[in-house]
Amino acid sequence: MSYFDAASAAPLHPVARQALQASLDEGWADPARLYREGRRARLLLDAAREAAADAVGCRPDELAFTTSGTLAVHSGIEGALAGRRRVGSHLIVSAVEHSSVLHSADVHEASGGAVTQVQVDRAGRVSPSSYAAALRPDTALACLQSANHEVGTEQPVAEVAQMCREAGVPLLVDAAQSLGWGRVEGDWSLLTASAHKWGGPSGVGLLVVRKGVRFAPQGPADERESGRAAGFENIPAIVAAAASLRAVRAEAAGEAARLRELTERIRARVPALVPDVEVVGDPVRRLPGIVTFSCLYVDGETLLHELDRTGFSVSSGSSCTSSTLTPSHVLKAMGVLSEGNVRVSLPPGTPEEDVDRFLSVLPGAVSGVREKLGAPETATKTPASVDSLVVNALGRRCPIPVIELAKVIGDVPVGGTVRVLSDDEAARLDIPAWCEMRGQEYVGEEAADHGSAYVVRRLS
């Protein structure tokens, strides 16, 4: 079995396993106590904090260990907003942030705060000028991920941090996906990360608050971790997290170059091997091990099951794999195809042979899924004299509305239109994306008695 979902959780690094086992015998006592066992535990905790701080590029007393990356994000945003409540209650986030950031923004807005969501380009990248334009006199905090978890696009953190610093606004960086590859550059103010993303144990997060940043921890007071993370520290897991972060950093340069070559191979060969595929994300400014693509006329969940059956564990941002039947917020913000979405995220040490085998089985897997769904073999048919057609795809989920559109587009002459009736949220994204891929014109969305009518004009 080939595990290609390291962006969700990286396999436990051997150094993490060794450190975890070794510290179980020494790190079980309360590090706040002055007796021998407590002092040993405190030494382990302090050493882990120093190692993690060195990897981040901060002072040890600026770094707190939390029970997860998600809790680090929630605590960081809440504390920073509370610390600057006299300035205002305006929060800035990007449209492609991790759900933990967006959920915190939703809670803030529901409690009366203001939120500005900065949009991204088709590669999933924000522009520094957009963040600058979003800054206001009452802006209390801005948030920006270092790199995207779904498509791997790296963000211009240093430039945005500089603009925020000049405006006197702290910037919180979610570095969960990138910290294992290197420090986050720029004059940021707060940083969060999660150990299971770099091969550490789950249940350990990092929250860094730079000196001078106004910060007011929320919730009942707790004396541990500078009051920023309540509860007894899981010292063995913390030691393993810090040890594995140091280990992956030592291997990062060589492994990044190797994984980048493998993902470049996937990016180049998938469109050549599989027709009607869109590779998404920035082709250059991206993390080494992540490559994401979407396949027309494919049910994402079925494709993932098919790939699992052939021995590959991958993930997807497709609406077809979500219980809410809504597209990934990242793909939606980028305006790219969401159906049949596959994210390949290679863990360090992935053999070249596994990638080649994946490329050999993918075409058959996609073809099999398309055949089951009745997808068209060609994009168009011989033109007929009907100037306008209506496709009723109400009650049918992705990718069926797009498949039905592709089947009939050739039944109208050049200049003719097809109206697709659909009540699937994914159609709002996938039909325009299909038009761009197939060289047709997306006219727009019209109101309908049920759902919406998506109008497409045939150009070729």
Side-chain angles (χ1 to χ4, degrees):
M1 192 73 181
S2 297
Y3 181 76
F4 284 1
D5 194 23
S8 294
L12 193 66
H13 195 283
V15 168
R17 187 183 304 276
Q18 294 168 4
L20 182 63
Q21 292 174 340
S23 57
L24 284 172
D25 293 330
E26 297 291 332
W28 52 269
D30 187 345
R33 303 306 172 197
L34 298 179
Y35 43 70
R36 181 183 298 107
E37 294 85 356
R39 294 197 303 272
R40 283 202 300 260
R42 168 57 61 181
L43 286 173
L44 286 174
L45 181 59
D46 288 347
R49 195 184 314 279
E50 289 178 3
D54 179 67
V56 171
C58 67
R59 293 170 39 157
D61 59 352
E62 293 175 331
L63 186 148
F65 292 106
T66 68
T67 54
S68 70
T70 294
L71 182 60
V73 166
H74 292 170
S75 300
I77 292 176
E78 290 173 358
L81 288 171
R84 285 173 50 81
R85 62 167 61 94
R86 291 185 179 180
V87 173
S89 61
H90 179 230
L91 172 66
I92 302 173
V93 300
S94 84
V96 294
E97 294 298 312
H98 187 269
S99 58
S100 59
V101 174
L102 299 182
H103 290 162
S104 288
D106 290 342
V107 170
H108 178 62
E109 192 169 32
S111 64
V115 177
T116 295
Q117 197 171 97
V118 177
Q119 297 305 307
V120 297
D121 61 21
R122 197 171 174 82
R125 196 170 191 266
V126 304
S127 69
S129 60
S130 297
Y131 261 78
L135 291 167
R136 305 186 331 201
D138 64 337
T139 301
L141 178 67
C143 300
L144 180 62
Q145 60 191 196
S146 55
N148 188 260
H149 51 288
E150 286 193 30
V151 301
T153 297
E154 294 178 330
Q155 300 293 357
V157 172
E159 295 95 322
V160 171
Q162 179 62 31
M163 291 178 174
C164 289
R165 180 68 65 181
E166 291 172 356
V169 175
L171 176 69
L172 183 149
V173 179
D174 171 17
Q177 286 297 339
S178 73
L179 193 60
W181 297 109
R183 290 182 178 180
V184 177
E185 300 298 328
D187 196 10
W188 47 266
S189 301
L190 302 97
L191 180 142
T192 62
S194 188
H196 73 278
K197 300 291 189 178
W198 66 68
S202 58
V204 179
L206 305 182
L207 170 59
V208 179
V209 182
R210 296 281 200 191
K211 292 295 181 182
V213 175
R214 292 186 177 276
F215 191 87
Q218 299 301 285
D222 194 286
E223 69 277 7
R224 298 181 186 273
E225 295 302 301
S226 304
R228 293 171 184 165
F232 196 95
E233 297 94 342
N234 184 349
I235 294 178
I238 288 171
V239 170
S244 58
L245 180 56
R246 175 177 287 179
V248 298
R249 280 290 189 82
E251 305 161 354
E255 194 61 20
R258 197 180 69 84
L259 291 185
R260 201 173 291 278
E261 189 281 327
L262 293 179
T263 52
E264 284 293 346
R265 187 180 307 181
I266 296 173
R267 289 180 65 89
R269 293 183 60 185
V270 165
L273 294 169
V274 182
D276 298 317
V277 165
E278 182 179 19
V279 181
V280 300
D282 196 294
V284 177
R285 294 169 294 198
R286 59 185 178 83
L287 292 175
I290 298 179
V291 56
T292 305
F293 56 89
S294 299
C295 309
L296 274 177
Y297 320 130
V298 168
D299 175 354
E301 185 173 5
T302 303
L303 179 57
L304 263 59
H305 284 313
E306 187 65 22
L307 290 171
D308 181 59
R309 190 183 66 80
T310 59
F312 292 96
S313 301
V314 299
S315 65
S316 173
S318 171
S319 59
C320 306
T321 62
S322 168
S323 60
T324 62
L325 294 175
T326 57
S328 148
H329 72 278
V330 172
L331 301 178
K332 185 176 182 180
M334 293 167 62
V336 298
L337 184 69
S338 73
E339 67 184 56
N341 180 260
V342 174
R343 180 187 67 182
V344 174
S345 50
L346 306 177
T350 298
E352 181 180 357
E353 296 76 17
D354 286 4
V355 171
D356 289 337
R357 190 169 69 86
F358 173 77
L359 291 170
S360 70
V361 304
L362 179 66
V366 174
S367 177
V369 173
R370 285 173 172 168
E371 184 177 354
K372 290 177 184 177
L373 293 172
E377 295 183 2
T378 58
T380 61
K381 303 181 207 175
T382 303
S385 58
V386 182
D387 289 331
S388 180
L389 286 175
V390 175
V391 172
N392 188 344
L394 294 170
R396 309 186 74 183
R397 300 304 175 190
C398 71
I400 300 302
V402 179
I403 290 176
E404 295 304 314
L405 167 62
K407 286 180 177 178
V408 304
I409 190 69
D411 290 342
V412 297
V414 172
T417 59
V418 176
R419 281 172 169 75
V420 183
L421 301 179
S422 176
D423 52 5
D424 180 14
E425 177 67 22
R428 182 169 285 111
L429 180 64
D430 289 347
I431 289 177
W434 178 89
C435 290
E436 182 163 333
M437 293 177 69
R438 305 309 304 173
Q440 311 299 345
E441 179 187 356
Y442 178 63
V443 178
E445 179 180 347
E446 298 177 349
D449 291 339
H450 300 285
S452 297
Y454 301 94
V455 184
V456 175
R457 177 175 289 110
R458 182 182 175 190
L459 297 182
S460 61

